[in-house]
Amino acid sequence: MKPKSIAIVGAAETTKLGVVPEMSELMLHADAALNAMADAGLGPSDIDGVATAGPWPTDVAHYLGITPSWVDGTMVGGCSFMLHVRHAAAAINEGLCNTVLVTHGESGRSRVGARGFGGGGATSLVGQFEQPYGIMGPTTMFTIPALRYCKEYDVGIEKLANVAVVQREWAHQNPRASLQDLTSLDEVMNARMIAWPFTKPMCCLVTDGGGALILTRADRARDFPQKPTYILGTGESVETPLVSQMEDFTTSRAFRVSGQKAFAESGVSHADVDHLMIYDAFAHLPIYGLEDLGFCERGEGADFIWERNTAPGGKLPVNTNGGGLSYMHSGMYGMYALQEGVRQIRGVAPAQISDVKISVVHGVGGMFGASGTIILGNEAP
Amino acid sequence: MAKGKKFSPVPTPETQHYWDGAKRGELLIQQCDDCSTHYFPPRPFCPNCGSRNVKVKKASGKATLYSYVISHMLRPGQEDPFAIAVVELEEGPRMMTNIVDCPQTPEALLLDMPLEVTFEEWDETITLPKFKPAGGATS
């Protein structure tokens, strides 16, 4: 085993996902954390590191009765949990703590004990230079770059819509998915328009739920009840809080930087990857992810999905839980992408791919504002 | 923001000149004296090289349509879907805006179409730069 190896030894989502009005946001964190501790055979006194995004680590640690010697409250949107995994690995290796709990919970739909939507108010750069032009949350911001991509690479809108069709095929195999019924290109193209060219099925769900992970040194991982999931490589970056100011509307700098770091650290080649999760807040995200992570040439991501490479039976299964478009999306979906990566490595996913050795989990935060990439493996590095 | 109340940006010391310019009918951008980079949104240093030797200058007001969506997410008082666009200024920087004097349809809003700045009084303190098709309205 390589020195400084880290493993995920506990992983779980909230007991219920979707519409959970009986739990506050903080309780969704706690429900997921208790499930993850049970999964790892641990209790609160075994945890000495806490990372979370949204509430302060103070809130989560105190609520669960944990006395941490290390905390991380990094908050860069939906991929914050990828960054927590990366930071936790470094902290454990530095000897700052031994066993880290990463939690997420969000009452995105029911808004029970929920915090307000982020954003910096009227004096922020978004408040001054984007908000006055009529933006109404991510559906009218995150979507803006897509048309430039389509023109640059001569990609038809039906190929954006197709992403939602293919991901529903995965959700169809997942009894916990919010939307399980198969859909068609016609249905997606003719659904209610949200922000042309994006119809409702091309936009993520708004649901309630949570998830938690427990990480420790890989040399301890065999002592836990579950099959360990090893961290092979990690990356992170940020670009801009303003979607209008991203360098190039056809590619995400944060995706490229984060992905390259993770692949370089892991030594994994793209051909070795059995399973891929790309945070799909909107239908264009998997296309950008495939290209910016290096699985496709620029301009070829939409055709790669159209040709069913990422669909059930395809050579590179992507978003096998159904994704943010069909599985669930509480607001910060990155945690659920990580959970599905762990399930696939453990071999317990509802739509299980056979013999998954390497899974790449890639997250986005803000509107192409941030990114985190985690490469998972079933064997110690 | 209270429900139904119009959102209004609040300038900071670093952006006040931009909003003062807009009120006068001028679109102001900035340029670095050291590396010549034009940039937006305003800040008193160059995001390319970090220099504080920067100046404010009036943009030509010419731009092209870089990307957009047509939002069906309407605010109180809005009845029809409208484009939320990003334009590329002749000097290079991009900015978010709305396209006015033009049908809000994919057929009328063509990427890379030439645009020119126009100004819309938002409230007593804020005037918003917007853009319209260059040389008059399109059909």
Side-chain angles (χ1 to χ4, degrees):
Chain A
M1 189 182 294
K2 275 194 207 166
K4 298 194 168 185
S5 293
I6 300 294
I8 295 169
V9 296
E13 293 172 347
T14 42
T15 311
K16 283 176 66 183
L17 287 179
V19 183
V20 195
E22 66 273 27
M23 283 191 191
S24 68
E25 202 151 274
L26 187 55
M27 187 56 214
L28 290 165
H29 280 257
D31 184 58
L34 292 169
N35 288 344
M37 285 190 271
D39 185 61
L42 297 177
S45 61
D46 300 310
I47 306 289
D48 61 358
V50 172
T52 195
W56 289 5
T58 321
D59 302 335
V60 171
H62 178 259
Y63 200 54
L64 286 163
I66 293 168
T67 305
S69 61
W70 174 86
V71 296
D72 180 10
T74 301
M75 171 52 160
V76 292
C79 63
S80 298
F81 316 103
M82 284 78 172
L83 277 68
H84 296 155
V85 167
R86 188 170 200 246
H87 301 172
I92 293 167
N93 280 321
E94 191 60 24
L96 307 183
C97 53
N98 288 308
T99 310
V100 172
L101 171 71
V102 182
T103 69
H104 160 71
E106 207 164 4
S107 187
R109 172 172 287 270
S110 304
R111 313 296 305 163
V112 183
R115 292 157 300 106
F117 179 69
T123 59
S124 72
L125 292 178
V126 171
Q128 292 187 66
F129 299 108
E130 292 192 339
Q131 190 88 14
Y133 295 108
I135 56 174
M136 293 279 278
T139 49
T140 54
M141 300 164 74
F142 218 151
T143 49
I144 293 176
L147 209 56
R148 171 52 58 181
Y149 176 94
C150 289
K151 170 154 187 182
E152 219 54 46
Y153 293 114
D154 194 23
V155 168
I157 288 159
E158 72 282 0
K159 291 195 176 166
L160 293 181
N162 174 60
V163 174
V165 178
V166 168
Q167 290 200 189
R168 189 66 61 77
E169 292 182 41
W170 287 113
H172 185 62
Q173 302 179 37
N174 188 344
R176 269 164 72 85
S178 292
L179 300 176
Q180 297 176 28
D181 292 341
L182 294 172
T183 187
S184 67
L185 203 53
D186 274 353
E187 273 182 358
V188 173
M189 297 281 286
N190 294 316
R192 181 158 74 88
M193 190 58 72
I194 300 293
W196 184 87
F198 287 80
T199 62
K200 195 171 179 208
M202 298 161 74
C203 305
C204 63
L205 300 159
V206 181
T207 53
D208 304 328
L213 296 169
I214 296 171
L215 293 92
T216 193
R217 296 196 317 269
D219 60 15
R220 292 178 66 205
R222 288 274 169 218
D223 302 336
F224 292 86
Q226 302 291 346
K227 191 173 137 187
T229 300
Y230 298 95
I231 308 292
L232 306 184
T234 63
E236 68 186 270
S237 189
V238 296
E239 183 177 348
T240 171
L242 298 149
V243 69
S244 60
Q245 300 303 314
M246 69 186 287
E247 280 180 359
D248 180 339
F249 275 27
T250 69
T251 172
S252 161
R253 188 187 78 192
F255 279 19
R256 297 195 310 273
V257 172
S258 176
Q260 283 164 16
K261 277 274 178 199
F263 272 95
E265 183 182 314
S266 69
V268 164
S269 77
H270 289 76
D272 296 333
V273 175
D274 303 303
H275 172 248
L276 175 61
M277 295 299 291
I278 300 172
Y279 187 145
D280 56 324
F282 294 91
H284 56 317
L285 271 289
I287 298 168
Y288 283 62
L290 283 166
E291 296 177 14
D292 290 338
L293 291 173
F295 288 96
C296 292
E297 295 296 321
R298 298 276 291 276
E300 293 182 357
D303 279 336
F304 188 78
I305 296 171
W306 185 265
E307 289 156 8
R308 299 192 57 78
N309 290 297
T310 66
K315 67 179 177 188
L316 180 61
V318 175
N319 294 344
T320 50
N321 58 355
L325 299 182
S326 289
Y327 178 56
M328 83 89 64
H329 191 288
S330 56
M332 293 191 285
Y333 165 86
M335 175 58 81
Y336 308 95
L338 285 163
Q339 295 287 335
E340 176 68 6
V342 171
R343 285 192 293 264
Q344 290 286 350
I345 290 286
R346 288 181 175 182
V348 299
Q352 182 64 43
I353 310 305
S354 66
D355 199 23
V356 174
K357 294 188 176 72
I358 292 173
S359 170
V360 174
V361 185
H362 181 72
V364 68
M367 318 298 139
F368 285 120
S371 189
T373 313
I374 303 294
I375 302 183
L376 304 172
N378 71 337
E379 289 173 15
Chain B
M1 181 174 63
K3 194 173 181 181
K5 191 183 163 205
K6 191 152 111 171
F7 178 89
S8 195
V10 175
T12 62
E14 299 78 24
T15 64
Q16 187 66 53
H17 71 270
Y18 172 85
W19 293 110
D20 291 345
K23 204 166 174 57
R24 294 193 304 270
E26 295 180 353
L27 178 63
L28 299 181
I29 58 173
Q30 285 172 287
Q31 185 174 25
C32 178
D33 287 330
D34 289 335
C35 75
S36 302
T37 298
H38 287 100
Y39 65 89
F40 176 87
R43 76 207 81 167
F45 58 91
C46 172
N48 184 52
C49 74
S51 170
R52 293 179 191 260
N53 299 320
V54 297
K55 61 172 169 278
V56 173
K57 67 187 272 189
K58 186 179 165 186
S60 73
K62 293 178 183 165
T64 53
L65 182 55
Y66 186 64
S67 203
Y68 67 94
V69 292
I70 300 172
S71 176
H72 291 237
M73 308 279 285
L74 304 180
R75 289 191 170 150
Q78 290 175 324
E79 289 178 5
D80 299 314
F82 66 101
I84 303 171
V86 173
V87 297
E88 187 164 289
L89 304 180
E90 186 177 46
E91 293 83 1
R94 296 190 198 118
M95 60 183 292
M96 191 174 280
T97 191
N98 301 125
I99 311 299
V100 298
D101 296 342
C102 181
Q104 304 292 288
T105 62
E107 294 73 27
L109 294 162
L110 300 175
L111 293 199
D112 302 313
M113 68 193 277
L115 303 165
E116 61 192 31
V117 74
T118 179
F119 293 89
E120 181 182 313
E121 196 176 305
W122 187 248
D123 58 26
E124 56 264 25
T125 59
I126 295 293
T127 295
L128 285 181
K130 296 199 170 179
F131 286 78
K132 62 182 181 183
T138 58
S139 55

